[in-house]
Amino acid sequence: MEIQIAAAKINKYAVSESGDTLEVVERPNGGVSVVLADGQSSGRGAKAVSMMVVRKVIGLLAEGVRDGAAARAASDALYTEKGGKVSSTLNIASLDMHTKSIVLTRNNPAPVLIAHDDEVKPLEGESKPIGTQRTLRPLIDEMPITTGLTIAFFTDGLVYAGDRRGKPMDAQSLLSELLKDKTMTAQSIADSLLASAIDLDEGRPTDDCSVVVLKVVSLAGDSVRRMNVRLPINLG
Amino acid sequence: MEIQIAAAKINKYAVSESGDTLEVVERPNGGVSVVLADGQSSGRGAKAVSMMVVRKVIGLLAEGVRDGAAARAASDALYTEKGGKVSSTLNIASLDMHTKSIVLTRNNPAPVLIAHDDEVKPLEGESKPIGTQRTLRPLIDEMPITTGLTIAFFTDGLVYAGDRRGKPMDAQSLLSELLKDKTMTAQSIADSLLASAIDLDEGRPTDDCSVVVLKVVSLAGDSVRRMNVRLPINLG
């Protein structure tokens, strides 16, 4: 099998720094984790918050701490640091090679979409951002790694895309439509979801927007691990 | 401009865990860092060493510590933890958006290749792995981010590919050849370098082998940041 993990990310229009932070890290016992946080508001302050949350989580995951405990620790740390006044969303998706499962941990009201082939459903349960309450628990779902499984999650920039213009995003239908084409890679799905959000915002995203897609496919290629980052920069 | 960062990685033949660890992380003041370590020997022990080194470095970079200081700290930590008995190579490549430069920090005898268009040269100076001496310093090179710049570095699995069969790898010539094709992406270059090493080892890599390629191109596409990971797995 091959696991494809793809992210696509754009900043709020005319803001140079994204408030979203996303990292993909190796787990000590094999597998990888994707960690995505969206700090409250936008720009530099939001970035500092989401970076702090992601750092906390990946530091703990690296020590072998389980995802749920890492999310709680990040919540407590943010609460303590900011006196309960600043919130952040948090999503963790982990490939656990011991249990041969994917573990999805979230403190984010935005849906997490799970697809088996092109049948898409959001995970159940109401999930709240971390940072404003001491007693917050993440929602945790676990599912076996199986061919045909696709998972998509995102920050609220995607959820509210088009909202102001009265044409809200329907990520679930769009994902189902995209998955009818079996050749779509995780990257092309993430790109399409983000492009659709940008379109709905008429090319000027009203918020930072990050999309993560995981896809499990039967292995077509070699046994090489690959990672690829494309970073548009403006040195002006 | 667009910065492309690509990695391709394969394990030593018949060994399930790579001794190389590679992470790409965001820097607190913008930009990203790529950190690559190759722990002494192979398998689980080597992995623990290279993970510890990479974790130490990315933790410090996240706090705003400069690359050279982070490399020295990782060296001291490894020396202390293993009593000077275990070595690891370390490469850090950072896009520093403040200085608009690429900073290359290394404790690795393997060459770092720098290309302007298709003219390839190795960085000068002799560099030693960390962990076996207290007084080690990394070699540090800095260069402006300019279109046409390509940087390649790797672990010794690539350097010694084909060695036993008397057909050693010539990464410098190969990279120059690859760069004659202006359409090559960082990923296709990394893939080609690794494929060539695997070929020289007749399909059975004699060591873990990781290749990292950075390429600066004039921006052809949109302003979306993308990250893509492909992870072949065997659940058997």
Side-chain angles (χ1 to χ4, degrees), chain A residues 33-199:
Chain A
S33 291
V34 189
V35 184
L36 173 65
D38 177 8
Q40 193 177 327
S41 84
S42 64
R44 180 143 298 205
K47 183 66 188 178
V49 167
S50 64
M51 262 197 116
M52 182 215 139
V53 168
V54 170
R55 289 298 163 194
K56 187 79 192 165
V57 171
I58 66 178
L60 290 169
L61 295 180
E63 290 169 17
V65 172
R66 278 171 296 169
D67 298 31
R72 287 188 201 197
S75 180
D76 290 351
L78 179 60
Y79 182 89
T80 305
E81 171 116 1
K82 301 290 182 184
K85 292 189 183 115
V86 177
S87 70
S88 173
T89 68
L90 172 64
N91 288 83
I92 311 173
S94 296
L95 304 176
D96 187 325
M97 303 311 285
H98 273 293
T99 58
K100 298 172 185 179
S101 64
I102 294 179
V103 180
L104 299 168
T105 303
R106 66 194 152 117
N107 280 107
N108 187 354
V112 172
L113 301 175
I114 308 294
H116 293 279
D117 298 318
D118 59 8
E119 197 177 308
V120 184
K121 278 187 190 161
L123 283 181
E124 286 184 6
E126 233 183 286
S127 174
K128 286 183 179 173
I130 62 171
T132 54
Q133 282 173 255
R134 276 231 75 119
T135 52
L136 276 177
R137 286 156 180 263
L139 292 184
I140 301 177
D141 291 85
E142 189 167 354
M143 59 202 68
I145 300 175
T146 47
T147 305
L149 175 67
T150 303
I151 296 165
F153 54 91
F154 26 80
T155 56
D156 64 358
L158 191 109
V159 179
Y160 295 116
D163 229 31
R164 287 204 205 157
R165 294 175 176 83
K167 288 185 200 166
M169 179 93 184
D170 181 354
Q172 186 175 338
S173 304
L174 178 55
L175 179 59
S176 172
E177 202 52 48
L178 292 168
L179 287 169
K180 291 201 164 72
D181 177 355
K182 305 288 180 212
T183 65
M184 293 285 274
T185 60
Q187 188 71 61
S188 51
I189 295 167
D191 287 354
S192 299
L193 287 170
L194 184 63
S196 171
I198 297 171
D199 271 358

Side-chain angles (χ1 to χ4, degrees), chain B residues 71-230:
Chain B
R72 286 188 203 200
S75 180
D76 290 351
L78 180 60
Y79 182 88
T80 304
E81 172 117 358
K82 300 289 182 185
K85 291 190 184 115
V86 176
S87 69
S88 173
T89 68
L90 172 64
N91 287 84
I92 311 173
S94 296
L95 303 176
D96 187 326
M97 303 311 285
H98 272 293
T99 57
K100 298 172 186 179
S101 64
I102 293 178
V103 180
L104 299 168
T105 303
R106 66 195 152 115
N107 280 106
N108 187 353
V112 173
L113 301 175
I114 309 293
H116 293 279
D117 297 318
D118 60 6
E119 196 175 308
V120 184
K121 277 186 191 163
L123 284 180
E124 286 185 6
E126 232 183 286
S127 174
K128 286 183 181 173
I130 62 172
T132 54
Q133 282 172 254
R134 277 230 75 117
T135 52
L136 276 177
R137 287 157 178 262
L139 292 183
I140 302 178
D141 291 86
E142 190 168 353
M143 59 203 67
I145 299 174
T146 47
T147 305
L149 175 67
T150 303
I151 296 165
F153 55 90
F154 26 80
T155 56
D156 63 358
L158 192 110
V159 178
Y160 296 114
D163 229 31
R164 287 203 206 160
R165 294 174 176 85
K167 290 184 198 167
M169 177 94 184
D170 181 355
Q172 186 175 340
S173 305
L174 177 56
L175 179 59
S176 172
E177 203 53 48
L178 293 169
L179 287 169
K180 290 201 164 73
D181 177 356
K182 304 289 179 212
T183 65
M184 293 285 273
T185 61
Q187 188 71 61
S188 51
I189 295 167
D191 287 354
S192 299
L193 287 170
L194 184 64
S196 172
I198 296 171
D199 270 357
L200 289 171
D201 276 340
E202 293 170 1
R204 297 180 173 199
T206 50
D207 196 359
D208 306 317
C209 190
S210 303
V211 182
V212 177
V213 175
L214 279 89
K215 196 173 185 213
V216 185
V217 299
S218 47
L219 184 59
D222 47 32
S223 54
V224 174
R225 274 190 182 211
R226 291 183 173 84
M227 169 145 60
N228 186 28
V229 177
R230 301 180 83 129

Side-chain angles (χ1 to χ4, degrees), chain B residues 43-78:
Chain B
R44 180 142 298 203
K47 183 66 188 180
V49 167
S50 65
M51 261 196 118
M52 182 215 138
V53 167
V54 169
R55 289 298 163 194
K56 187 79 193 166
V57 171
I58 65 179
L60 291 168
L61 294 180
E63 290 168 15
V65 171
R66 278 171 298 170
D67 298 30
R72 286 188 203 200
S75 180
D76 290 351
L78 180 60

Side-chain angles (χ1 to χ4, degrees), chain A residues 16-34:
Chain A
S16 67
E17 195 148 27
S18 169
D20 299 348
T21 296
L22 173 91
E23 304 277 11
V24 179
V25 291
E26 282 192 46
R27 293 170 72 81
N29 298 317
V32 298
S33 291
V34 189

